[in-house]
Amino acid sequence: MSDAFVFNPLDPTTRRDPFALYGEGRKRRIVRHVGLPVPLLSVFRYGDCQAVLRDDEAWSNDFRAIAFGGVEDPELQDVGPPSMLGFDGDAHHRLRSLVNKAFTPRIVKRLERRMAEIAASLVDEAVARGEVDLVEVLTYPLPVTIIAEMIGIPAADREQFKRWSDEAVSILGAGFFGGVDPERLRRQIRLREQMHDYFLPLARERTRSPREDLLTGLVQAEHEGSSLSHEEMLAMLTLILVAGNETTTTLIGNAVLELLAHPEEEARLRQDLSLLPRAIDEVLRFASPVQFDPRRATRDLELGGETVRQGEIVLCWLGSANRDEAVFESPEVFDVGRARNPHLAFGLGVHYCLGSNLARLEAEVALRALLQRTRSFELATDEPLPLHPSPVFRAATAIPLRLAAA
Ligand code: HEM
């Protein structure tokens, strides 16, 4: 049955509107991709994604040996030590415990006033200009400024962080489909070196003069008697800088795009801003920034009625699980007041997104500023918006918008 199902996650038409294919995928349950450099399957149902992501013994998040299958040069296989995202079991737990406390709801809530200040000034500037690229003026600068301040690195370097983040995530997920050429891998290795060269002197400086920031916390980190190695610390900083940027930028942008596509929901939200937290979760469900979450089978097992062999990779399509009719009432309806919304947009299990509280609050603050300080906004182009280069993301890299002041 799965032979006749054509689902190419790199195809731009599919990427712009994958939802009918996701529905077909949920009917078929498990789909084996053919002709790829790695043995790859996809699951589309909520229950199957949940089962995989919850079971971190059967399913690993470490893809070092295979993620770039098809590229022969051993030098290019050296993608460096993984961040905590790529560790399993105790090693993952040790690393995650070191940074967890910086992202608790209480700590994040303390940043709200600062976020609101930044959002208000960015939106005021945008409204004064009238026509802007929303990514450039709001959805990118807000998250990057906040995360730079949390880490303790100069927000003034944010253009540099943007270039790094863009480069780092451009390649995400492409390796599974054979879409990575050696030159792009070389650029990734150079990028890692540049980021390390940037962080290293700052880290040394914190050893001499500690401050109240995440960088100091990492430098001083000691857990169960063992401190972070330099390499681990740098991988952690890189992960936090990159993971927190692209995704939150995407969430805020997707929120604006869904409100534009559903004017009655925009009007409802403008009328009642107390719906904002629900509206943000509805965007996370309906237009999930991260569309798939991969795992590697650590042994032979059963999934979706099929045998999966050790080493095979399964893509859990979060974007599909979040539209699963078995879980969500009227899943194809975008409802800013949706009350029951157990979406998987932040993943599930031990790797559940560390920054979910931060991302939700940033999106809420940004949207509040935008809705309060404008009477209306509309797209300033008839062209299709540019797609993010990575198949992992459901995102537009530019959102030209005309804003009318409130
Ligand atoms: C809308 C915004 C965001 C989305 C949709 C998102 C999505 C996700 C997802 C799906 C995962 C799970 C990955 C996996 O299972 O392999 C994840 C993990 C992670 N996220 Fe986020 N994220 C967002 C924002 C953030 C922010 C703001 C930060 C930090 C500042 C962050 C830091 C992380 C980290 C460090 C992990 C790895 C956690 C671990 O391995 O234990 N994310 N995120």
Side-chain angles (χ1 to χ4, degrees), residues 90-101 217-229 232:
D90 291 346
H92 167 260
H93 180 72
R94 178 177 73 86
L95 291 171
R96 182 151 173 144
S97 314
L98 291 170
V99 280
N100 238 346
K101 54 183 179 297
L218 288 176
V219 169
Q220 295 176 338
E222 283 209 48
H223 184 71
E224 293 170 1
S226 66
S227 59
L228 274 181
S229 72
E232 285 173 337

Side-chain angles (χ1 to χ4, degrees), residues 53 61 63 83-87 92-93 95-96 99-100 103 143 147 150-151 214 236 239-252 280 284 287-295 318 343-360 362-363 392-393:
L53 297 175
N61 215 8
F63 299 100
S83 65
M84 70 170 147
L85 192 58
F87 274 112
H92 167 260
H93 180 72
L95 291 171
R96 182 151 173 144
V99 280
N100 238 346
F103 293 92
I147 201 66
M150 284 178 82
I151 296 175
L214 200 55
M236 179 78 86
L239 172 69
I240 290 174
L241 183 61
V242 171
N245 277 341
E246 200 72 16
T247 45
T248 314
T249 294
T250 300
L251 172 60
I252 304 169
I280 303 295
L284 283 159
S288 311
V290 174
Q291 287 284 300
F292 70 79
D293 199 353
R295 289 294 186 272
L318 307 178
H343 64 74
L344 301 181
F346 289 122
L348 194 72
V350 294
H351 291 284
Y352 181 80
C353 178
L354 180 78
S356 62
N357 302 311
L358 182 65
R360 281 193 170 104
E362 280 176 356
V392 170
F393 288 101

